[in-house]
Amino acid sequence: MRESLKQCKRIVIKVGTSTLMYENGNINLRTIEKLARVLAELRNEGKEVVLVSSGAIGVGCRKLQLNERPKTIPEQQAIAAVGQSELMHIYSKLFGEYGYTVGQVLLTRDVTDFPISRQNVINTFDMLITQGTIPIVNENDTVAVEEIMHITKFGDNDRLSAVVAELIQADLLIMLSDIDGFYNTNPLIHPDATMFHEIHEITDDTLKLAGGKGSEFGTGGMLTKLAAAELCLKNNQKMVLTNGNNPDVIYAIISGEQVGTLFAKRKEDILNG
Ligand code: ADP
């Protein structure tokens, strides 16, 4: 099963705030720099990569020197607006070091519901990839709030990354988090938890194993990651969840090494539909 990852050409990488920021609220430049180098190297090898990056609010808080995340939605949207451009500035600089240009793609959930919007998004991704740029995706926080008649919010970037993988028909989604993989219970609370190397389907029993989120900046915990995995499995796509503290892990994954948790359908299940 792992061997098949060597053939993956189109790859979505999702990076969580806990990978991009230190617990103290500062930006983890070393990890971001390494991430940019690894993705640039994958492009050099001929792979196609799309980055889904969280971090706008965290980076915005740093930029505005706020010690804690404000509570109201307009405040969070304003901070995200500041943080998003700051984050793109950092990515642009670091990818630029390795000869790559980045393109910002901000999405709202309604793109999945309206066929013309959906096609426009797909066209943009295709063109960015053809141009050799690195698309960097986030939710459009200015527009996306919970509404009843017009659903604009993905809610979390885990789900967004699986939707992006679906839109661009990626072979693989690599989800970088602050944990080595999916365990039979939350390892932060139970140190004797054991990690799954492979999961072939998401059942109610799987969902019961997901505990709370890991860090102050963490977003959805394991539940949103399992929801993303479920969408990938439905689309016969693969997902690997692993720790993003050393982005070199991406090389190991696409060399077929057994790192993190691989979510993939069994071959026979794909054949039986
Ligand atoms: P991110 O910011 O990367 O999206 P989150 O904090 O949202 O990260 O989610 C990762 C956290 O989920 C882990 O640090 C861990 O504490 C928690 N978690 C809960 N249940 C599990 C489980 N069964 N296996 C692994 N991690 C779990």
Side-chain angles (χ1 to χ4, degrees), residues 14-19 54 158 175-189 193-196 206 208-226 241-242:
K14 186 259 166 178
V15 59
T17 307
S18 51
T19 302
S54 301
D158 294 334
M175 193 159 299
L176 299 177
S177 181
D178 62 350
I179 197 89
D180 292 347
F182 179 58
Y183 288 73
N184 61 349
T185 180
N186 187 346
L188 287 195
I189 301 168
T194 52
M195 196 181 92
F196 295 100
T206 325
K208 282 187 199 134
L209 306 178
K213 64 179 186 177
S215 63
E216 154 107 17
F217 285 112
T219 43
M222 275 304 126
L223 273 179
T224 54
K225 289 171 182 59
L226 293 179
L241 167 69
T242 194

Side-chain angles (χ1 to χ4, degrees), residues 109-125:
R109 185 164 155 188
D110 47 359
V111 301
T112 59
D113 300 332
F114 297 105
I116 295 177
S117 311
R118 186 187 165 91
Q119 192 56 50
N120 283 331
V121 173
I122 293 171
N123 294 347
T124 307
F125 274 121

Side-chain angles (χ1 to χ4, degrees), residues 15-17 19-21 26-29 32-33 35-36 51-63 79-95 102 104 106 136-139 141 157:
V15 59
T17 307
T19 302
L20 302 172
M21 315 261 321
N26 286 328
I27 297 167
N28 189 335
L29 286 173
I32 303 181
E33 180 164 40
L35 182 68
L51 177 63
V52 176
S53 176
S54 301
I57 293 187
V59 172
C61 284
R62 177 81 338 224
K63 183 80 179 169
I79 290 160
V82 172
Q84 179 64 27
S85 58
E86 183 68 9
L87 191 59
M88 286 308 292
H89 170 72
I90 297 170
Y91 279 129
S92 176
K93 181 168 162 25
L94 295 178
F95 276 101
V102 295
Q104 173 179 259
L106 297 178
I136 301 186
V137 189
N138 193 10
E139 181 152 62
D141 290 315
N157 275 356

Side-chain angles (χ1 to χ4, degrees), residues 251-270:
Y251 294 131
I253 292 170
I254 57 169
S255 307
E257 287 176 35
Q258 186 168 280
V259 283
T261 303
L262 168 65
F263 296 84
K265 269 193 187 167
R266 288 191 193 85
K267 246 197 206 123
E268 54 271 29
D269 292 341
I270 297 174

